[in-house]
Amino acid sequence: MAQFSSVKRDPRSFLREEYDKLVSQDLDWRIRILASSNGPWTVVSGKKALMLCSNNYLNLTNHPKVKKAALEAIEKFGAGSGSVRPIAGTMQAHVELEEALAKYKGTEASLAYSTGFAANAGLIPQLAGEGDLIISDELNHGSIIDGVRLSRAERTVFKHRDAEDLGRVLNDAEKKNYKHILIVTDGVFSMDGDIAPADEIAKLAAQHGAMTYIDDAHGDGVLGDAGRGITSHFHIEGKVDVEMGTFSKAFGVVGGYIAGSRDLVNYALNKSRTWLLSASHPASVVASCKASIEVVEHEPEHLKRLWENTRYFKAGLRKLGFDTGASETPITPVIVGQSSTARKMSDMLFDENVFALPIVFPMVARDKARIRTIMNAGHSQADLDFALQAFEKTGKALGVI
Ligand SMILES: *Cc1c(COP(=O)(O)O)cnc(C)c1O
């Protein structure tokens, strides 16, 4: 047997130390386990609870057509795809999804990635490199931040949703002679539910010869005509160079994508390592995604219910005296202050059979801890009244209202 000489320091001790530190600051994740599908009500930690923290906005994860598409695709194409997309992992189902998506988004072409995270991490670093500049909204999603970190481009931020500040950054950039400038922003910001001024951003980008990239993960299926997303919301179709999104939220399945010009897609599929080197989705997944798009287009009632619920619930929270921040979408934060208060409130809500998670530092500022709620088209008004009663009770008990 090999002899290992002893070393003074345990190279693994940091694992426990870091974890203990997170626990002591109330910043660790405590995972709750679902014993049913992710719907307006669910069974979580052994208890039936009203779901307020799912991204399944339109409840499509439970839609019969979306489920049936997966079952049929498994029968035809098998359980796995067997390869990466460029080798032997592009099945008819993948191509059909990309054609359907491009048509839905009104773009020349689209490209499916395994996840939204993989799209951002794989494509952003290929769109700007040495001698280029990436300009980000300061509150962009972590997957954008990681994508930017993988690039050799210079990087800078503009103030959150502040087109004037973006103009200032672009004016400064003119003096530096960058080859390319890429402006990246979330469409809907996932922690606050506010919307990027995409119209003004697109206009500034055109004036300065910059390229635009909007991550519409929380806008697709939610904003605009038939959920076509932020470009439809602002009537700026065709004015955003890269429309990136995900099937894991309103579409109720999983998978990232980009939509834009044919040139963009040809470039992206040849350059994104997360696309080239990671297995493609099983056909069941992409078939479900395609069915989801069809449902969103042809059954407008889901989107209508989502927005009715959103207006009703937001108004109810505000009437109770809660601070719901700057939200303009079905993502409604209930800002409570300290992370320990948010934690406590989430636990108390769960005692009342309401499942809503705290969002704490580092995802939001230390003093802006919150319960983040997300509406679902499958909630009834009685469900929302039930939730509002629980918020009133726990909010009063904790002195939040
Ligand atoms: C959820 C989210 C992603 C990641 O999408 P996945 O498909 O779940 O990987 C990327 N960007 C934003 C803004 C998101 O909210």
Side-chain angles (χ1 to χ4, degrees):
M1 216 178 111
Q3 290 290 309
F4 289 96
S5 58
S6 71
V7 285
K8 286 200 190 84
R9 202 147 39 99
D10 176 357
R12 291 158 291 265
S13 59
F14 74 96
L15 300 171
R16 185 60 175 270
E17 283 159 21
E18 283 299 313
Y19 175 67
D20 288 346
K21 206 157 87 191
L22 290 172
V23 172
S24 73
Q25 295 174 335
D26 246 342
L27 294 176
D28 61 310
W29 278 101
R30 294 161 205 170
I31 310 300
R32 291 201 188 272
I33 299 167
L34 276 67
S36 75
S37 84
N38 190 312
W41 285 85
T42 189
V43 178
V44 56
S45 299
K47 183 166 164 172
K48 190 175 174 211
L50 183 76
M51 173 65 95
L52 287 182
C53 51
S54 164
N55 298 319
N56 178 30
Y57 292 97
L58 301 173
N59 199 20
L60 297 188
T61 191
N62 294 303
H63 195 288
K65 286 182 185 160
V66 177
K67 293 201 285 191
K68 184 159 166 265
L71 294 170
E72 287 175 359
I74 286 180
E75 288 302 338
K76 185 167 176 194
F77 294 100
S81 78
S83 179
V84 293
R85 285 285 301 272
I87 300 181
T90 297
M91 294 160 168
Q92 277 166 15
H94 297 91
V95 178
E96 283 169 15
L97 170 64
E98 287 165 350
E99 284 170 2
L101 178 63
K103 207 162 158 227
Y104 171 70
K105 298 286 284 180
T107 56
E108 242 173 48
S110 85
L111 185 68
Y113 285 76
S114 54
T115 63
F117 201 119
N120 284 338
L123 182 56
I124 293 171
Q126 300 302 328
L127 294 176
E130 212 153 345
D132 301 334
L133 175 69
I134 303 179
I135 309 175
S136 286
D137 184 290
E138 64 185 345
L139 294 188
N140 275 348
H141 190 259
S143 58
I144 297 179
I145 295 172
D146 276 15
V148 172
R149 280 184 184 151
L150 289 170
S151 164
R152 291 183 206 279
E154 278 184 45
R155 62 206 62 168
T156 185
V157 294
F158 62 99
K159 285 193 197 134
H160 180 50
R161 290 177 64 224
D162 189 335
E164 203 173 304
D165 196 48
L166 173 60
R168 175 192 63 78
V169 173
L170 283 163
N171 283 331
D172 287 351
E174 298 250 312
K175 298 165 203 148
K176 298 243 184 94
N177 241 343
Y178 294 104
K179 278 185 296 173
H180 301 292
I181 296 175
L182 178 69
I183 303 169
V184 193
T185 182
D186 280 28
V188 173
F189 290 85
S190 52
M191 296 302 151
D192 292 281
D194 48 350
I195 302 176
D199 49 348
E200 294 172 67
I201 291 173
K203 202 163 141 198
L204 281 167
Q207 284 164 5
H208 290 266
M211 193 172 174
T212 46
Y213 185 120
I214 299 192
D215 174 342
D216 212 10
H218 284 279
D220 275 324
V222 172
L223 292 180
D225 163 52
R228 285 185 176 78
I230 193 158
T231 53
S232 169
H233 175 80
F234 284 109
H235 307 293
I236 51 166
E237 289 90 347
K239 301 261 167 42
V240 171
D241 298 306
V242 187
E243 293 180 54
M244 174 270 162
T246 179
F247 289 107
S248 69
K249 291 177 175 140
F251 293 109
V253 193
V254 72
Y257 62 78
I258 56 161
S261 68
R262 173 64 58 192
D263 287 343
L264 169 72
V265 166
N266 286 339
Y267 180 89
L269 78 85
N270 280 286
K271 298 272 189 180
S272 308
R273 277 204 286 251
T274 54
W275 194 87
L276 293 164
L277 303 178
S278 187
S280 62
H281 276 152
S284 52
V285 169
V286 279
S288 276
C289 293
K290 179 168 171 265
S292 246
I293 294 174
E294 284 159 13
V295 170
V296 175
E297 269 203 286
H298 297 120
E299 299 179 15
E301 61 269 27
H302 307 294
L303 192 57
K304 189 164 165 267
R305 279 295 301 158
L306 174 69
W307 280 98
E308 281 165 7
N309 283 349
T310 297
R311 282 188 283 271
Y312 184 81
F313 191 60
K314 262 195 219 304
L317 284 170
R318 284 182 188 148
K319 206 165 140 209
L320 289 171
F322 284 109
D323 174 5
T324 58
S327 169
E328 307 163 69
T329 64
I331 298 174
T332 303
V334 179
I335 299 167
V336 301
Q338 296 307 307
S339 53
S340 53
T341 311
R343 270 270 156 78
K344 194 90 212 292
M345 186 150 167
S346 171
D347 289 343
M348 289 167 72
L349 285 167
F350 195 64
D351 289 340
E352 302 291 323
N353 296 73
V354 171
F355 184 26
L357 280 192
I359 303 278
V360 300
F361 181 82
M363 282 185 288
V364 294
R366 272 185 202 277
D367 61 344
K368 294 268 186 212
R370 62 200 57 193
I371 305 289
R372 183 180 61 165
T373 68
I374 300 184
M375 281 295 100
N376 189 295
H379 288 137
S380 67
Q381 192 160 314
D383 291 340
L384 300 182
D385 288 336
F386 177 82
L388 287 167
Q389 274 166 25
F391 269 92
E392 181 175 18
K393 184 171 168 189
T394 55
K396 280 184 176 157
L398 289 169
V400 175
I401 51 170

